[in-house]
Amino acid sequence: MRDLAIFARILCFCFLVLVAFEQESYAQFYEDTPMSISDEDFGGRMPSVGAGKGFAIIWHKVDTIWFSRLDEAGNIVVPKKEAYTPPVNMLSLSKKVIYNGKNFVTFFTTLKGKHTLHSIVIKPNGTKKKVTVVDDTKKLNRDFVPIWTGSEIALIYSKIQDPEVINYLRLDAEGVPISAPVPIKGVKADIFLSCVNAAWDGKYFGVVWVKD
């Protein structure tokens, strides 16, 4: 519980610092002074952190996804590096990253062109391994939560143009779909879904959302 509380404070502090400084991406470990990961002009946007072999930090600058990895003590072991630049007219938005026991799998959406959800496998050294189109229905995915179950990835997500639907999708360890999306039963069609989140207890998935 103490580690969880510390990590919660880390995430909150990152958010507050990003809001205050705007042009820089920071990380904080334990009670130390915040450490700059990206401090150039028009720096990190919408960062995400994943635990595994320390911590992987993912963010985007303009149309490029960047990667850095820190050890458990907060030391940078992989300095910031470009992980992936989507094709022209595609801008990476929300990003989530998980660790599958071997590599980091990052999920991100695009805004321009086809509104699609992608996954990208990034090795612990920051090298891109594979990019997969997860959902190409031209409907921007509003919220999504990837969960590593120990053998595969479960993806819980909703869409702006299908706000009444929360989908469950199974993917292999590298973010490639292995089944068709399944709408979660019991969700009424007359509500607007946002802020979807989910967790797995080893047997069941718990899913929460906001009803507007």
Side-chain angles (χ1 to χ4, degrees):
M1 289 300 293
R2 179 177 179 276
D3 291 340
L4 181 60
I6 291 173
F7 193 63
R9 290 201 298 273
I10 291 170
L11 293 183
C12 290
F13 192 88
C14 285
F15 174 76
L16 291 174
V17 172
L18 280 171
V19 170
F21 291 91
E22 294 185 350
Q23 299 300 323
E24 301 182 333
S25 291
Y26 285 85
Q28 183 190 32
F29 284 79
Y30 307 107
E31 303 299 333
D32 295 336
T33 302
M35 175 174 51
S36 177
I37 297 174
S38 174
D39 58 3
E40 57 208 46
D41 291 340
F42 198 65
R45 293 293 185 271
M46 303 183 74
S48 181
V49 59
K53 287 187 176 296
F55 298 92
I57 313 296
I58 303 289
W59 71 95
H60 81 260
K61 177 184 176 183
V62 190
D63 284 335
T64 299
I65 294 176
W66 289 72
F67 174 94
S68 181
R69 185 164 63 84
L70 294 75
D71 63 19
E72 294 180 353
N75 302 304
I76 296 177
V77 293
V78 177
K80 63 179 182 180
K81 63 187 300 183
E82 295 184 28
Y84 178 62
T85 300
V88 179
N89 295 326
M90 297 175 69
L91 175 65
S92 57
L93 293 175
S94 300
K95 291 169 292 299
K96 302 288 177 62
V97 56
I98 61 172
Y99 183 63
N100 66 9
K102 185 176 182 182
N103 297 304
F104 295 96
V105 185
T106 298
F107 293 82
F108 66 95
T109 57
T110 57
L111 177 62
K112 300 178 181 178
K114 291 184 177 180
H115 294 173
T116 57
L117 176 62
H118 303 254
S119 67
I120 174 174
V121 179
I122 303 176
K123 297 179 181 180
N125 64 4
T127 303
K128 178 193 71 176
K129 180 180 179 183
K130 177 191 295 186
V131 178
T132 301
V133 175
V134 176
D135 190 310
D136 188 16
T137 55
K138 299 183 181 180
K139 296 177 179 179
L140 181 64
N141 300 81
R142 181 179 177 87
D143 287 298
F144 55 92
V145 184
I147 300 172
W148 174 244
T149 67
S151 59
E152 61 184 48
I153 298 171
L155 188 69
I156 310 295
Y157 66 105
S158 64
K159 302 179 182 180
I160 286 180
Q161 295 182 19
D162 282 332
E164 72 281 4
V165 176
I166 296 180
N167 292 304
Y168 163 72
L169 179 64
R170 294 176 58 208
L171 305 98
D172 67 15
E174 296 194 332
V176 179
I178 55 178
S179 68
V182 177
I184 297 177
K185 296 180 179 179
V187 177
K188 297 181 180 180
D190 61 347
I191 63 176
F192 182 83
L193 301 177
S194 63
C195 302
V196 175
N197 210 335
W200 185 64
D201 69 355
K203 185 177 182 180
Y204 297 105
F205 294 98
V207 181
V208 294
W209 65 90
V210 173
K211 177 180 179 181
D212 295 332

